[in-house]
Amino acid sequence: MTTSQYISLYSISAFYLIAGISHFLSPGFFLKIMPKWVPSPKVVNQIVGAIEVLLGAAIFFDETRTLAAWGIIALLIAVFPANIYHYQLAKQKGKQVMATLVRLPLQALLIYWAHSFI
C-alpha cells in the first residue's frame, strides 16, 4: 500500500468511527433528521451508530476490509432516504438548504471512496 492509500485507509476508518460514536453522543441530531416512517427511531439510531463503529474498525484490517467496504456501501444506500428527508426539512424551514442539497451527491463520493478498498 502506498502512503496515500494508508492515509485514505486511516481517514475512512476514523470517519466512520467518529460518525458512529456521534450517534451515541448526539442522538438528537440524528433523530431530528430521521424520516417519520422509520420504526423505533432511537433503536435505529443506535443500530446505525454501532454498525458505523463496527465498519470503521473492520475496514482497518486486511481480513475484513472488503466486507467492511461493501457494508459501508450498503449502509450509505440504506441511509440515503434520511438524507433526502433532511434536505426536504431544510427546504421547508429555509435553513441549511445548500448544505443538505450538496450532501446528497456526496453520498456517491463516499460510496466511491469505500469501493476503492474492494
Side-chain angles (χ1 to χ4, degrees):
M1 219 184 256
T2 66
T3 302
S4 64
Q5 288 171 320
Y6 275 114
I7 291 169
S8 182
L9 177 62
Y10 288 121
S11 298
I12 197 169
S13 180
F15 181 82
Y16 286 98
L17 286 168
I18 292 166
I21 291 167
S22 69
H23 280 265
F24 298 99
L25 297 179
S26 302
F29 170 78
F30 297 98
L31 293 172
K32 199 168 40 173
I33 67 170
M34 200 170 289
K36 301 291 183 211
W37 50 264
V38 173
S40 304
K42 290 179 182 179
V43 174
V44 170
N45 178 60
Q46 291 175 342
I47 291 170
V48 171
I51 290 170
E52 286 181 337
V53 169
L54 178 68
L55 294 172
I59 202 160
F60 193 75
F61 300 101
D62 290 335
E63 299 82 11
T64 53
R65 187 167 300 137
T66 299
L67 186 59
W70 281 116
I72 289 169
I73 291 166
L75 181 67
L76 288 167
I77 292 167
V79 302
F80 192 69
N83 293 336
I84 292 171
Y85 180 76
H86 191 200
Y87 167 69
Q88 291 170 335
L89 282 179
K91 201 170 160 188
Q92 286 174 356
K93 294 179 180 181
K95 295 180 181 179
Q96 299 178 335
V97 176
M98 282 308 294
T100 56
L101 180 61
V102 168
R103 183 177 178 191
L104 297 176
L106 282 179
Q107 293 289 110
L109 290 176
L110 292 173
I111 289 170
Y112 176 78
W113 188 18
H115 192 267
S116 72
F117 292 101
I118 294 175

